[in-house]
Amino acid sequence: MFEDNKSIKVLDCTLRDGGYYNSWDFPTDLINQYLEAMQAAGVDIVELGLRSLINKGFKGASAYTTDSFINSLVVPEQLSVAVMINGSELVGETPLESVLSTLFPVKAADSPVDVVRIACHVHEFVNALPACNWLKERGYIVGFNLMQVAERSQEEVEALSLEASKYPIDSLYFADSMGSMNPQQTSKIISWLRKHWEGPMGIHTHDNMGLALQNTLQAVNDGVTWLDATVTGMGRGPGNARTEELVIEVADIKSISINMVPLMSVIRSFFQPLKNQCSWGSNPYYYLAGKYGIHPTYIQEMMGDSRYSEEDILAAIEHLKLEGGKKFKLDTLDSTREFYIGEPRGSWNPADIFEGKEVLLLGTGPGVAEHRTALESYIAKNNPVVIALNTQSSIAQSLIAFRVACHPVRLLADCSAHAQLPQPLITPASMLPEDVLDALKDKKLLDYGLSIESDKFSFGSHSSVLPTSLVICYALSAITAGKASKLLMAGFDGYSADDPRNSEMNKLLKLYASQEQALELLSVTPTRYEIKSQSIYGLME
């Protein structure tokens, strides 16, 4: 344990790091309650937000954190106030001194800001370092946050520590940006930085693998004295070490008493409801991202995009694991959804089964189970060709003729279930990965190919072109290409009106309906989708 425990500082950066979820737009009354809670809980420094010259789209006051904004707040005297600037704004075309003089027009003695932190990628660090001298001359305490250091070699990290040693930095931070570190790696990074840097150090952890607090406490054991945290872990991606836990540990280390009541109150009234709405915090996706060194923004973007199903996200992680995902790029993310690229291949013609036949397509919604008796009676009397999506099994197996599935990750997850199900499986067999084919080696497969092309449906005899790899689109394409005479749908319940998945599906169904070969879509169980609907009970005679 570090001997000088009293020098440990807890820096809460909720309003800065958490602002990625609400555009840095925190109610003033909430901020004042938060500040009172921070003081009572023993926090030393509050980072109230960013300072920036970039103004694109609406962002709240904590995206700019001006002196006038801070002066409008009730900041307890015991708290020091910090703001952060991005190093990228210091190393662009505008001279560093010009940027700083605009962002910090007065000296620290005339400003409510005590601490300025500069967040830098490794390639920005050397050119941004002169900002330290400029800010120190004006009386500010200066911290530098090195991002994604865990992915760098010992030689690179030691070189960075040498550059840092040339400047009067008050705290040299390193951030576990990918959330991929464990306590042993934390100690290793600290030892590398200590090669040349002898001043105070800080750590900013991410909680991808549930190790944010453990890594922070390990850093304390190794002499790190500036510790970042956020309330409920609120921060980009999986979030950070949680302030409400860290202050308890630090109070124990420093042998001081703290009052947690105001903090727990503000968590109950504001932060927990917002967390329920925005869903920050670790989960299996973030865990995998941390494990494989994938930038957490990929996960955050996919979780907030209705186009990405569970299978899509897992497949994207697998793609990024192989191709590399340390730096977030939107075009890289888009490419992860292209499971079927190039010319589609297939050897089975769905007209062999569907031509001139009525088809009943069973979705995965609860409507199938809720209206099972009526559906089974209709099937027994009218003898439609019954197709079930994936492993839907809410009616008697003997009434289901075929199953359809196309998503590689979903197929792999369901392979044991498919092995037990008696129906032949319509799937793009000749285009599936080897591990999926191996898992389905004992299954009868009807090989109908596909390829993905944005906003397009095209129905071929042995393959189709689809706008997405969603199984509903694949099923519709096979049935349409098979020249079925009629299509009934059951179990396509849909989502609530404000759920973006509902609008996304309506868009796809409208695109399908606009095709010349499209069949009329007729739901016979309750649906929220914008398709024609009749009652299965009204079809009974």
Side-chain angles (χ1 to χ4, degrees):
M1 178 70 68
F2 185 63
E3 293 181 1
D4 186 11
N5 295 335
K6 299 298 181 183
S7 65
I8 296 174
K9 303 179 189 296
V10 175
L11 186 153
D12 183 277
C13 49
T14 306
L15 304 190
R16 189 267 305 172
D17 214 345
Y20 287 98
Y21 279 100
N22 66 345
S23 298
W24 295 272
D25 190 19
F26 294 90
T28 300
D29 289 348
L30 174 278
I31 297 176
N32 285 328
Q33 294 176 45
Y34 154 84
L35 290 170
E36 179 185 348
M38 292 297 98
Q39 183 272 324
V43 170
D44 302 283
I45 305 167
V46 286
E47 191 166 69
L48 293 179
L50 295 160
R51 279 210 176 164
S52 175
L53 299 179
I54 300 172
N55 191 350
K56 294 181 180 179
F58 174 79
K59 298 182 181 70
S62 287
Y64 304 99
T65 325
T66 60
D67 282 0
S68 60
F69 167 64
I70 299 172
N71 286 329
S72 74
L73 304 172
V74 182
V75 183
E77 291 185 5
Q78 297 94 326
L79 290 177
S80 297
V81 171
V83 297
M84 176 173 278
I85 55 179
N86 285 316
S88 58
E89 292 196 49
L90 300 178
V91 299
E93 296 181 0
T94 306
L96 178 146
E97 293 81 4
S98 177
V99 174
L100 289 171
S101 62
T102 303
L103 293 174
F104 301 93
V106 299
K107 293 183 178 181
D110 301 313
S111 171
V113 174
D114 304 295
V115 181
V116 178
R117 299 205 297 173
I118 301 169
C120 287
H121 290 286
V122 169
H123 66 276
E124 300 162 341
F125 186 58
V126 172
N127 290 332
L129 277 170
C132 179
N133 291 337
W134 192 96
L135 290 164
K136 291 290 290 182
E137 289 172 2
R138 286 155 180 78
Y140 292 98
I141 298 169
V142 180
F144 266 82
N145 288 35
L146 276 165
M147 297 186 286
Q148 298 187 10
V149 173
E151 284 67 49
R152 300 291 173 165
S153 68
Q154 179 176 354
E155 183 180 8
E156 289 175 299
V157 174
E158 290 179 352
L160 292 169
S161 76
L162 178 60
E163 294 299 327
S165 70
K166 301 173 184 178
Y167 291 85
I169 301 170
D170 292 289
S171 179
L172 178 64
Y173 265 83
F174 69 100
D176 179 19
S177 304
M178 303 296 188
S180 59
M181 292 172 57
N182 58 37
Q184 293 73 32
Q185 292 168 317
T186 299
S187 293
K188 181 172 64 176
I189 294 295
I190 293 168
S191 69
W192 293 352
L193 286 169
R194 281 296 182 204
K195 174 75 172 182
H196 302 287
W197 177 254
E198 298 178 355
M201 288 183 61
I203 185 168
H204 179 96
T205 56
H206 283 197
D207 207 31
N208 296 60
M209 303 177 71
L211 295 174
L213 179 63
Q214 191 174 345
N215 288 337
T216 301
L217 295 177
Q218 180 60 51
V220 173
N221 285 333
D222 294 328
V224 170
T225 53
W226 288 55
L227 315 175
D228 277 14
T230 59
V231 177
T232 68
M234 185 181 185
R236 185 158 50 174
N240 313 103
R242 290 177 281 278
T243 301
E244 58 270 25
E245 297 170 355
L246 181 60
V247 292
I248 293 171
E249 295 294 339
V250 170
D252 186 49
I253 293 170
K254 297 169 74 171
S255 299
I256 61 173
S257 297
I258 59 175
N259 178 8
M260 292 287 289
V261 173
L263 176 54
M264 299 312 294
S265 177
V266 79
I267 288 174
R268 176 183 55 80
S269 64
F270 181 81
F271 287 103
Q272 190 60 50
L274 188 59
K275 181 178 181 180
N276 294 341
Q277 175 186 337
C278 299
S279 300
W280 65 78
S282 192
N283 58 42
Y285 303 134
Y286 284 123
Y287 184 91
L288 288 169
K291 183 176 178 65
Y292 299 128
I294 296 168
H295 200 290
T297 301
Y298 283 111
I299 308 301
Q300 183 172 324
E301 288 292 321
M302 288 189 286
M303 289 180 63
D305 189 332
S306 62
R307 298 176 303 162
Y308 288 87
S309 65
E310 291 83 358
E311 297 94 333
D312 288 329
I313 298 176
L314 290 169
I317 291 171
E318 187 66 22
H319 172 85
L320 292 166
K321 170 187 171 183
L322 298 174
E323 300 298 324
K326 289 183 170 59
K327 183 176 181 181
F328 177 75
K329 294 181 180 179
L330 191 58
D331 55 351
T332 300
L333 177 57
D334 288 339
S335 71
T336 64
R337 301 185 78 236
E338 298 176 3
F339 308 111
Y340 300 103
I341 302 172
E343 289 296 319
R345 302 182 303 279
S347 59
W348 173 72
N349 187 343
D352 295 344
I353 292 172
F354 301 134
E355 188 166 8
K357 302 286 185 63
E358 175 184 325
V359 174
L360 173 60
L361 182 62
L362 303 179
T364 56
V368 176
E370 291 170 2
H371 304 283
R372 172 176 178 166
T373 301
L375 288 168
E376 290 182 343
S377 296
Y378 181 86
I379 295 167
K381 184 167 185 178
N382 295 278
N383 197 32
V385 179
V386 181
I387 306 174
L389 299 187
N390 297 315
T391 57
Q392 162 64 268
S393 298
S394 295
I395 68 170
Q397 291 293 332
S398 60
L399 299 178
I400 301 173
F402 302 95
R403 294 188 177 276
V404 59
C406 64
H407 200 297
V409 176
R410 180 62 183 267
L411 278 165
L412 194 57
D414 290 345
C415 63
S416 59
H418 280 299
Q420 301 300 316
L421 294 168
Q423 299 85 9
L425 180 63
I426 302 169
T427 192
S430 60
M431 304 182 71
L432 292 177
E434 287 298 323
D435 56 346
V436 178
L437 284 175
D438 287 344
L440 297 171
K441 62 180 182 297
D442 297 324
K443 188 77 178 174
K444 181 178 180 180
L445 305 179
L446 302 178
D447 181 19
Y448 187 67
L450 78 151
S451 65
I452 306 301
E453 191 173 329
S454 181
D455 298 322
K456 184 174 181 179
F457 271 105
S458 178
F459 315 107
S461 60
H462 293 84
S463 63
S464 286
V465 179
L466 311 177
T468 172
S469 60
L470 285 175
V471 67
I472 175 59
C473 292
Y474 180 65
L476 289 176
S477 70
I479 296 166
T480 305
K483 302 177 182 178
S485 61
K486 185 177 181 180
L487 174 59
L488 305 181
M489 303 169 69
F492 293 88
D493 300 52
Y495 305 92
S496 60
D498 59 349
D499 191 314
R501 291 174 292 181
N502 216 64
S503 58
E504 182 71 19
M505 182 59 71
N506 279 328
K507 179 181 176 182
L508 291 172
L509 294 175
K510 286 179 180 178
L511 178 63
Y512 168 80
S514 69
Q515 308 303 307
E516 184 177 352
Q517 296 171 262
L519 296 164
E520 181 182 50
L521 302 180
L522 178 62
S523 177
V524 296
T525 57
T527 182
R528 295 185 180 92
Y529 297 135
E530 296 171 5
I531 57 177
K532 186 177 179 180
S533 180
Q534 292 184 347
S535 171
I536 186 64
Y537 299 96
L539 299 177
M540 306 291 289
E541 295 182 1

